[in-house]
Amino acid sequence: MLSTAHRHFLEVVRAGSIKDAAAALHVAPSAVSRQIAKLEHGCGAALFERRPHGMVLTRAGEMLADYVRRVAMDADHVLRDIRSLRQAELTTVRIGSNEAVARNVLPGILGAYRVEHPDVAFQVHIASPGVVTQRLRDGLIDVGLAFSLKPGSGIDVRYEIVSPVRVIMVPEHALATRASVSLDDLRHYPIALTDSGTTVRLLFDNSAVGGDGPPFNVAYSSNSSSVIRAIVEAGHAVTLAGEITLAEPLRRGALVAVPLQQPAFAARTLQVQTASRALPEATERFVRRLIAVLSADVLARQQVMRIP
């Protein structure tokens, strides 16, 4: 339902240049330039700053981008609802999550929901927290599960679980019996971490600057949390992670979690995020069930912790 000019405008916003947008749209760059010029003439303002390395939105461009994204999301949801009514097809709920949450938290929730609602299908997109939030804004997913240190603009945080970052290691590790450890304690041991873009890596990189002692030995890094977990379970390194995503190996004693003394690592949360707009009815029902299941799991873990 978007005009050609608006579709070309959004693609330039996404791609960062007219050339790359034209390639994605399979049209000539001159065609994209004409559509952008048409929009700028209609708005009476420049929408982009033309820089040597690409196109950057002006304030007017940001305002138009927000509006066009909302229109695109509204159109997409209306079309999906119409198709669902007319064709009785599957309702697809699009979820964005990081790999660890998608692997360890979502399968049981999605499977149980499908037993009750076989007309619902799920698409799970794996991405870093920042990308999950951006995909929500762009209307590419319906609900996000993202670790966060603060909520983003234009995003509704529907539910939030405190998920402190712990030091994760095998029970035989020298630090495993400590009540807590400082980040400096880790300088003497190999560390395995996920790549940049995750909240864990952001916290580590910000907190590891300075201090006394030898440099940190980040011996292993990967964009896959599964690889990091395998390295840690084999006893080759310690890692930093939340207990929510490692509940199963922690429960059976294959790994142990030790709190970090630095307060910054206790501030992280796992958020259920949606875009700041009304969701289709079927998607809203799932979001409410997701929140209910996560809330019940939090209460169960709290009760276990209170058992003497």
Side-chain angles (χ1 to χ4, degrees):
M1 293 185 185
L2 291 179
S3 69
T4 299
H6 286 146
R7 288 190 292 104
H8 286 201
F9 169 72
L10 280 184
E11 190 58 39
V12 174
V13 173
R14 187 196 68 80
S17 74
I18 286 178
K19 179 182 177 181
D20 291 342
L25 292 165
H26 304 290
V27 299
S30 59
V32 178
S33 293
R34 285 195 299 271
Q35 295 297 334
I36 298 302
K38 177 182 175 181
L39 280 178
E40 291 183 323
H41 177 75
C43 293
L47 301 176
F48 294 96
E49 293 180 16
R50 276 72 171 175
R51 297 183 180 177
H53 301 294
M55 309 276 281
V56 178
L57 285 171
T58 62
R59 177 57 183 148
E62 291 175 353
M63 293 172 66
L64 182 61
D66 288 341
Y67 168 75
V68 175
R69 284 171 180 146
R70 289 197 301 271
V71 171
M73 284 189 287
D74 287 342
D76 180 60
H77 287 137
V78 167
L79 289 174
R80 287 165 61 195
D81 286 346
I82 290 173
R83 286 196 300 267
S84 181
L85 286 172
R86 291 183 176 179
Q87 303 174 19
E89 67 178 7
L90 289 175
T91 297
T92 300
V93 179
R94 303 167 301 171
I95 303 170
S97 170
N98 78 346
E99 181 191 0
V101 172
R103 184 185 65 243
N104 298 296
V105 177
L106 282 179
I109 296 174
L110 303 189
Y113 194 82
R114 280 268 303 159
V115 170
E116 298 181 20
H117 303 278
D119 57 329
V120 175
F122 294 101
Q123 292 178 354
V124 180
H125 303 266
I126 304 301
S128 65
V131 174
V132 167
T133 300
Q134 187 58 51
R135 286 181 176 175
L136 279 172
R137 291 195 185 98
D138 293 343
L140 300 177
I141 58 175
D142 304 305
V143 56
L145 276 165
F147 288 111
S148 182
L149 302 176
K150 59 181 180 179
S153 61
I155 297 297
D156 288 341
V157 178
R158 301 285 300 273
Y159 185 68
E160 195 169 29
I161 306 168
V162 176
S163 181
V165 176
R166 310 294 198 194
V167 183
I168 308 295
M169 66 200 85
V170 292
E172 300 79 18
H173 195 278
L175 300 176
T177 58
R178 297 270 196 94
S180 66
V181 297
S182 70
L183 200 62
D184 283 339
D185 290 330
L186 305 185
R187 292 180 186 272
H188 307 286
Y189 304 97
I191 303 171
L193 292 174
T194 49
D195 290 342
S196 60
T198 65
T199 54
V200 165
R201 192 59 185 260
L202 177 64
L203 284 167
F204 175 82
D205 289 344
N206 288 343
S207 302
V209 177
D212 299 324
F216 288 97
N217 179 14
V218 181
Y220 308 93
S221 64
S222 174
N223 63 348
S224 169
S225 62
S226 297
V227 171
I228 297 300
R229 172 177 166 177
I231 290 170
V232 174
E233 286 189 319
H236 300 315
V238 302
T239 191
L240 304 179
E243 295 172 85
I244 291 174
T245 57
L246 292 170
E248 185 271 331
L250 291 171
R251 183 169 52 249
R252 60 182 170 85
L255 295 173
V256 297
V258 179
L260 278 157
Q261 295 168 4
Q262 283 80 0
F265 289 93
R268 191 186 67 158
T269 62
L270 175 62
Q271 298 178 348
V272 177
Q273 302 174 344
T274 60
S276 299
R277 63 172 311 281
L279 294 174
E281 182 179 349
T283 305
E284 179 64 32
R285 282 199 303 268
F286 169 72
V287 171
R288 291 176 181 173
R289 173 63 65 84
L290 174 64
I291 292 170
V293 173
L294 292 175
S295 179
D297 181 63
V298 169
L299 290 174
R301 285 190 283 110
Q302 288 174 344
Q303 290 172 356
V304 168
M305 290 175 63
R306 286 196 294 267
I307 295 175

